[in-house]
Amino acid sequence: MINKKSTILICGAGSIGIRHAKNLINLGYKNIVFFTNRKKLKIGSYKPKTFLKIQDAFRNYNFKIALITNETNKHIDTAIYCASKGCHLFIEKPLCDKKDKVKKLINIITKKKLINMVGYMMRFHPAIKKIKSMILKKSFGDIYHFYCEWGEFLPNWHPNENYKKSYAAQKIKGGGSTLTLSHDIDLMQFFFGKIKQSLIIKNKIGLKIQTETSTNIMLEFKKNISGFVHLDYLQKNEERFLKISGTKMIIKFFYLKNILKIYRNKKMKIIKYDKFHRNLLFLSEIRYFINNCKKLHICSPNINQAYKNLLDSKLI
């Protein structure tokens, strides 16, 4: 039985692993263990136990939940080990950078009936929920086009670190603009369903790193819905924008300003999410995952869904 006394394993102590730990602590789950190469770790006043070898962690603790937050290229092997020990799994996005062993992981979680989830936290944004609701209610009429753009300057992510050594800049670790910034591709699948066709153009310009720095993706869904996703590591003035056009309504979502504009019948309505802050996305998704583990309810997106989405969109 999972409760606030349960010990939770976090595999990877980078920025996202630390963020999840802080949120778990705030939710009352204070028995956290890390599998990491960092020998000493402190989160506020909390000093979690750390292990250099995952086998040692499992020899010392009985985990029911594991969060996989290490480098993308290590996700599947780490998840397979934790699943084989009977852990419900939360895997940070993207699920993987290669097809290798994913089916083995899916077989294990299916056989053991493990709850699992992939961390595309943008699905928990109130504006995204609003847009999804309007799509389900067919408020747009016939949707004929979408466009979304996400551009950031990679060297600004962690200014005190060498960005060229970050996982996001290294091909061997599963980095690159396509997978690292794949949230918006997940959102288009969340909105419109199964992808029919995908065309991806990757460019390696502007930064001297191993991976692509810019990605352009054309996607076609059922019911003649098609559009364009642009992702890049190059924009010094960060941009994040979504537009969906239908015969009855058009929306524009400005993520950085937390503003959703709805155009209908020659009128514009503005919804401001003034009380929203970014960590609420991560807090909401981890609360959702933990609650589903307690109730043994299926999560979305789960590993099987995320894997199919990566294949359909030709990201791997």
Side-chain angles (χ1 to χ4, degrees), residues 145-180:
H145 182 257
F146 63 84
Y147 173 78
C148 56
E149 178 176 341
W150 183 9
E152 296 187 15
F153 193 49
L154 180 61
N156 288 344
W157 286 15
H158 301 285
N160 296 324
E161 301 175 10
N162 184 348
Y163 71 91
K164 295 179 182 179
K165 295 182 179 180
S166 69
Y167 87 91
Q170 297 186 56
K171 186 175 182 180
I172 193 172
K173 292 186 176 181
S177 55
T178 311
L179 286 173
T180 304

Side-chain angles (χ1 to χ4, degrees), residues 10-18 34-36 38 41 69-70:
I10 300 181
C11 302
S15 60
I16 189 61
I18 298 299
F34 276 88
F35 161 46
T36 175
R38 296 173 65 176
L41 199 58
T69 63
N70 49 8

Side-chain angles (χ1 to χ4, degrees), residues 2 12 171 181 184 196 206 213 289:
I2 295 169
K171 186 175 182 180
L181 303 179
D184 287 5
K196 287 175 60 178
T213 56
F289 170 68

Side-chain angles (χ1 to χ4, degrees), residues 150-157 177 181 203-209 212-215 230-238:
W150 183 9
E152 296 187 15
F153 193 49
L154 180 61
N156 288 344
W157 286 15
S177 55
L181 303 179
N203 295 309
K204 190 176 180 181
I205 57 175
L207 298 173
K208 294 181 179 180
I209 59 175
E212 77 278 3
T213 56
S214 176
T215 309
H230 172 78
L231 310 167
D232 74 68
Y233 284 165
L234 303 171
Q235 296 190 52
K236 294 181 180 180
N237 295 317
E238 182 183 352

